[in-house]
Amino acid sequence: SRPFVDFIHQDDRNMVMERYVRRLNGEDIPRRYSFRILHKNGGFRWVELDTVLINWKGRPATLNFLTDITERKRVEETLQKSEERYRSLVENADEAILVIQDGTIKFVNTRAVESFGYSVQEFLSIPVFELVHPEDRNAVIARYLQKIGGDTTPTRHTNRSIHNGGHIACIEISSVL
């Protein structure tokens, strides 16, 4: 006996009602989206709405399917916070951090850019083994192949690297799969 709008979280009411009116007016708007509904315990739940325009007793109406996605939203939020902490940790580390896949650099942190003198874009375009001194390259490639072959033992070794401008430096590498 109460209007559905009474059950919509006040921060989402305008958006939900605007889409409802637009749909009734025949506009082509997304039929699936999420918003919060009020729970009788005073809290709220996240729902995903899937709606279609129908004719009900000779008048336009919507047929609505609501799926509770509260747990999914909670997990997404937890994951996002974890990702933000991880990103902050990696970006502020004192060590150069590189993610290498298929012999290609996929990610570098700020310290790597500062240490090697290459921009992020340059790093992502350089085959990783070109950063290794030619005399050390075969040993580094062999360790890399061993690692991607399934060796989960943490590896620590030193080799010479080639920095931007041709500068050669001795670096210590710690790698994990």
Side-chain angles (χ1 to χ4, degrees):
S1 64
R2 291 176 51 196
F4 181 67
V5 70
D6 291 351
F7 297 96
I8 301 171
H9 190 282
Q10 87 178 52
D11 293 344
D12 298 333
R13 281 183 188 153
N14 288 340
M15 180 263 304
V16 173
M17 293 310 296
E18 176 193 344
R19 289 182 180 192
Y20 172 73
V21 169
R22 289 174 62 196
R23 180 167 285 103
L24 287 179
N25 289 329
E27 290 186 46
D28 186 24
I29 59 170
R31 58 178 269 182
R32 183 177 286 223
Y33 57 94
S34 57
F35 60 93
R36 292 162 290 183
I37 59 170
L38 302 175
H39 192 276
K40 67 180 177 180
N41 70 8
F44 66 87
R45 306 288 293 173
W46 277 97
V47 295
E48 182 174 77
L49 172 74
D50 191 355
T51 184
V52 293
L53 186 62
I54 63 169
N55 186 315
W56 183 262
K57 297 183 180 181
R59 296 182 49 211
T62 58
L63 177 60
N64 304 284
F65 299 92
L66 298 169
T67 304
D68 187 337
I69 60 169
T70 305
E71 181 61 18
R72 181 177 83 193
K73 284 287 198 178
R74 188 194 64 74
V75 169
E76 288 171 356
E77 184 179 302
T78 301
L79 180 61
Q80 182 180 7
K81 286 178 183 176
S82 174
E83 212 170 87
E84 289 168 3
R85 283 192 306 268
Y86 164 78
R87 186 170 308 283
S88 177
L89 177 68
V90 168
E91 283 301 327
N92 293 299
D94 284 336
E95 294 81 22
I97 299 174
L98 292 82
V99 174
I100 301 164
Q101 184 179 47
D102 301 325
T104 304
I105 299 168
K106 300 294 185 178
F107 170 84
V108 294
N109 70 347
T110 303
R111 183 68 175 134
V113 170
E114 293 168 354
S115 296
F116 283 79
Y118 293 105
S119 70
V120 172
Q121 292 75 23
E122 289 171 318
F123 260 122
L124 300 179
S125 67
I126 299 170
V128 70
F129 300 116
E130 288 185 20
L131 297 173
V132 179
H133 190 280
E135 293 175 15
D136 298 343
R137 202 169 285 158
N138 286 340
V140 171
I141 291 171
R143 282 189 208 96
Y144 174 77
L145 292 173
Q146 191 176 15
K147 187 62 66 181
I148 64 168
D151 182 0
T152 58
T153 308
T155 308
R156 187 174 230 98
H157 62 274
T158 59
N159 66 269
R160 291 168 287 178
S161 65
I162 303 169
H163 294 219
N164 197 0
H167 170 75
I168 296 173
C170 188
I171 62 171
E172 181 178 62
I173 295 177
S174 176
S175 63
V176 294
L177 186 62

